[in-house]
Every structure is written in structure tokens, then in C-alpha cells.
Amino acid sequence: MSSILDSLTSLPAYTLFHITWVLHSIRRPLLLTSLLCLLSNPTATIAKCKLFYTTFLYLAFCQDKKFSIPKEDASQYFGSDFGGTAAASDESSSKKKTSFQSKTVILIRHGESTWNDTFNPGGRNIALFILFYIPNMIKALLTEAYFFISGNDSQSWFFDSALSTKGVAQVHGLRKFLQKEQMRLGSGGSNGREEMAIRELLNVGQAKGNSMVVSSNLRRAISTAAIGLSDRFAASHSGDDILLLPSLQEISFNPDAQTILPPRGVAHPTWCDPVDKFSKLINTKYHNGNKSLDSTGLIRLNQFASDIFSSKCDKDVIVAVGHSLFFRSFFQMFLPRSVEHISKKKKIVNGGTVVLTLGEVTLEDGEKVYMIDPKSIVVVYGGFGKHTKK
């Protein structure tokens, strides 16, 4: 038994030795060929070099995660029927509200990315992850090198990472769930709020035309929307698309959280995306490029809440496809501080879908404040952390 374990543990080192030996043997022709490829497409080469430089800047100077959730929340401006603390005749607040509105928001977390496939065990066996870490890293580096040398500046393994094979399976899991639930609509198998969310996700029945899909400007979120909601887009009338909102960009300084899509550029399909009409499906009119170095998650959380009630999002129901840390911070930011909820501690699982109601109050000085109705949060698919719903 010990000899078998010794053989398995020595396999990565054995593989690494032979790969190194082969690369050393062909290094000169490989370097020459690579140089010729790079020089043949200088525009793509410059774009990739800028990406490397930008990544260095973000790793060194990015302020994205350097913020704290404010101790005070907006519950004092929302009535008890919405989970707030304000009474109808409450005069204690120094600022009086002049208007209130609310919208239904359906959050979908993207599937696993190639970055996470390389660096995070996920649900995999820890021993196997460690055993195959070096081979998987070599695979990732070679893939990134291929994209760089071939001049494919719209693809990357590490930067703005796409969905992994497992991530695609997770997103197809959401799609199959919606297909199954569509067959059960009206049968009473789901509670009213879940059924409403499924109708809005699929854009069918009374919900048709009542919702819109928005996404982070990162490729794994865009692909999750395009694949997971593909039945919606196949059946929908013209004008139903995926609107990119920069405010949804993930809270992180890692390379996988830096968008490679140029401002208002054409979104190209990744290896897993439906090629037919993909670029036309992605609306980039509000995409103004990568988040700035001085941006923080707090700034974008407030901007996303504002976007939901702005002319950008002119529907009653907003389907937002985004990221784990952003969504967890969203719950921490806009749920009342006194409310204990799993969403404040656990991330939505990959492909997980949660529906909620977000309220906006406009104060007499023009300031707008936002709050999630704690009673409105319902898991549609997946869930939070280990608390999942199939």
C-alpha cells in the first residue's frame, strides 16, 4: 500500500521533470516561433502586455476590499411592514422621507471559473487537489501562454477567467432546474414567491416583458447568464438581452476580477458560450471598462442599488448575475444590522439563485437610501454555503 502511495505522490514531480526536460530541449525554436507570433499581431500583444501591467498595479495598489460596512443602516426610514423600524408617525429622524419604491431582484451567482478550478479545491477531495495541483497549474500556464502567443487577446485562463468545465455543469444545472419547474408552473408544487421568480427568470406567462437581465462585466457571469437563461432568450421577443453593469464587477484585486472587455466593446464568446448571436445578446452600452484603482466595493454596492432604480433598469424585476463576495457584501450592506441572516455569513453557491425585494427611500434633501426586506429573501435554486436547495 505504501509503495502505491509513494508512486502517486511522486507522479507530479516525475511529470514536471519530463515536461521541463522537453521544454529545455526545444527552447530555442519555441522562443523563436513565439517571438514571430507575437510580432505578427502587435495589437493583441500590446493589449496582453497592458493587461499584465494593469494586474500588477491592482495587486499592488487596489483599494477594492479596503472598506467597512457602515454601522448605521437605513431601517429607520422603512416601515415595519418592510422590516424597518420607522413608525407611520415617527418624527425622531432628522431626515424625512418623501417617496418610497421597491423592486424585485433575483440574484444568480456564476458557475465555477478556471481561476477557482486552478487555485481552490471547491468541493473536490483535498488530497486529489494537492496531488494534481502542479499538473493543473502547468495546464493553466500553457493555456495562458497559448492565448498570449496566438494573439487571442479576448481569451485568458487567469485574467477575467471564463467558466471551467465544472462551472458549465453548474450553470446547466440551473437551466435544467428551470426547465423542470416550467413544466410544473401552476401545479402548486412551489410557493407563490418561488413560482413568481421562475416565471420572471424564464420570461413567460403573466411575467413576460416584466423583467430584464443584467450582469457583471466579467466573462464568467456573462456566460452564466447566456447559458443558464438560454431558454429565456431563445423564446423571448426582440429586445431581451444581457445588459452589462460595471457596478456588479467583483470585489477583489486578483487578475480574475479584472475585465478584459474593452469599453463598449464587442463581447466575444468563450469556449463554452453559444456562438450563434452571442455578441448581439450582450449589451455593452454602459460598460466603461475596468473598475478604477481607487474604486472600492462599497462604492459599487451603492451604485448597483442606485442602478436598479435608475433608467438603466426600467423593469419591475431585475435578474442580476454576479459574484459571491459582491452578493454577500450586498446582503451585509442592505439588510438591517439587527437582522441575523445566513446571507451575511455564507456565499451563494455556484449557480445559486435567490430572490429578494429591495426598497428605495428618497429623503427630503434628495439623498436615497436602500434596504432589503428580510422577509422577502427566498432561495429559488442552490442556496447559501452548505444550506442548499435542489
Side-chain angles (χ1 to χ4, degrees):
M1 184 65 181
S2 61
S3 62
I4 296 176
L5 290 174
D6 290 341
S7 298
L8 287 174
T9 54
S10 65
L11 183 60
Y14 180 79
T15 304
L16 180 62
F17 169 77
H18 281 278
I19 291 175
T20 304
W21 177 76
V22 170
L23 291 176
H24 178 76
S25 302
I26 62 172
R27 67 187 187 284
R28 289 183 179 177
L30 184 63
L31 288 172
L32 180 60
T33 304
S34 300
L35 182 61
L36 290 174
C37 290
L38 293 173
L39 292 176
S40 67
N41 194 342
T43 302
T45 302
I46 292 172
K48 281 286 187 179
C49 289
K50 285 183 177 179
L51 193 58
F52 287 123
Y53 174 68
T54 300
T55 298
F56 168 76
L57 289 180
Y58 275 83
L59 288 172
F61 305 110
C62 183
Q63 304 294 310
D64 213 29
K65 298 178 74 172
K66 296 181 179 180
F67 71 94
S68 299
I69 300 297
K71 293 181 179 180
E72 294 186 359
D73 59 36
S75 60
Q76 60 181 310
Y77 303 111
F78 291 83
S80 57
D81 58 333
F82 200 81
T85 59
S89 58
D90 191 0
E91 299 293 332
S92 60
S93 176
S94 60
K95 298 180 181 179
K96 303 301 181 292
K97 67 179 183 181
T98 59
S99 66
F100 165 81
Q101 60 178 324
S102 65
K103 283 192 178 185
T104 297
V105 182
I106 304 175
L107 305 179
I108 302 176
R109 181 189 170 187
H110 65 77
E112 182 193 69
S113 67
T114 52
W115 173 274
N116 286 331
D117 177 65
T118 302
F119 294 107
N120 298 328
R124 289 171 288 181
N125 181 278
I126 298 294
L128 289 177
F129 173 75
I130 295 173
L131 181 64
F132 291 100
Y133 180 79
I134 293 178
N136 285 337
M137 178 60 74
I138 292 171
K139 171 189 172 183
L141 291 171
L142 289 176
T143 304
E144 190 65 52
Y146 167 75
F147 288 141
F148 182 59
I149 294 170
S150 64
N152 195 339
D153 60 341
S154 65
Q155 302 295 336
S156 175
W157 184 277
F158 297 114
F159 304 102
D160 193 357
S161 53
L163 291 176
S164 66
T165 303
K166 180 180 178 181
V168 173
Q170 291 166 337
V171 175
H172 275 295
L174 171 61
R175 182 187 180 190
K176 291 176 182 177
F177 168 80
L178 293 175
Q179 290 173 335
K180 180 184 71 174
E181 291 301 308
Q182 185 173 10
M183 302 291 290
R184 299 169 56 190
L185 286 175
S187 66
S190 303
N191 70 40
R193 193 156 176 80
E194 288 179 37
E195 186 166 309
M196 175 276 296
I198 291 166
R199 291 183 187 276
E200 299 292 355
L201 286 164
L202 293 169
N203 197 25
V204 296
Q206 296 176 345
K208 191 167 186 179
N210 193 47
S211 65
M212 62 182 294
V213 180
V214 300
S215 171
S216 157
N217 51 11
L218 299 178
R219 295 184 302 155
R220 54 192 179 276
I222 299 172
S223 296
T224 296
I227 298 171
L229 303 178
S230 57
D231 296 309
R232 170 196 176 106
F233 298 118
S236 292
H237 56 280
S238 60
D240 196 16
D241 57 18
I242 301 171
L243 178 68
L244 302 192
L245 291 181
S247 57
L248 271 168
Q249 192 170 349
E250 177 61 312
I251 303 171
S252 174
F253 49 74
N254 289 332
D256 67 318
Q258 315 304 320
T259 180
I260 60 177
L261 178 63
R264 297 173 181 80
V266 176
H268 297 285
T270 66
W271 70 274
C272 61
D273 290 316
V275 177
D276 185 39
K277 299 180 180 179
F278 176 84
S279 296
K280 293 182 179 180
L281 183 64
I282 313 304
N283 187 339
T284 63
K285 66 179 179 180
Y286 296 122
H287 172 61
N288 50 14
N290 201 23
K291 57 193 176 186
S292 62
L293 267 177
D294 58 354
S295 176
T296 67
L298 186 63
I299 292 173
R300 292 199 306 284
L301 287 167
N302 282 304
Q303 183 60 55
F304 174 58
S306 176
D307 286 344
I308 289 174
F309 294 95
S310 72
S311 58
K312 297 177 184 178
C313 301
D314 57 356
K315 301 292 185 179
D316 295 329
V317 180
I318 310 301
V319 180
V321 187
H323 309 273
S324 60
L325 186 55
F326 186 95
F327 286 155
R328 187 177 66 183
S329 301
F330 183 75
F331 285 109
Q332 292 171 345
M333 179 71 180
F334 297 115
L335 274 173
R337 303 295 179 266
S338 60
V339 172
E340 293 289 334
H341 196 276
I342 189 174
S343 61
K344 291 183 175 182
K345 299 178 180 179
K346 299 284 187 178
K347 298 176 180 178
I348 300 176
V349 300
N350 291 112
T353 305
V354 178
V355 61
L356 58 92
T357 301
L358 182 70
E360 178 192 70
V361 163
T362 302
L363 304 178
E364 59 185 352
D365 62 357
E367 180 187 357
K368 297 180 185 296
V369 293
Y370 306 93
M371 195 185 89
I372 297 170
D373 180 356
K375 305 184 300 297
S376 70
I377 303 173
V378 174
V379 172
V380 179
Y381 176 74
F384 298 94
K386 294 182 179 180
H387 298 261
T388 59
K389 180 176 181 179
K390 302 291 185 181

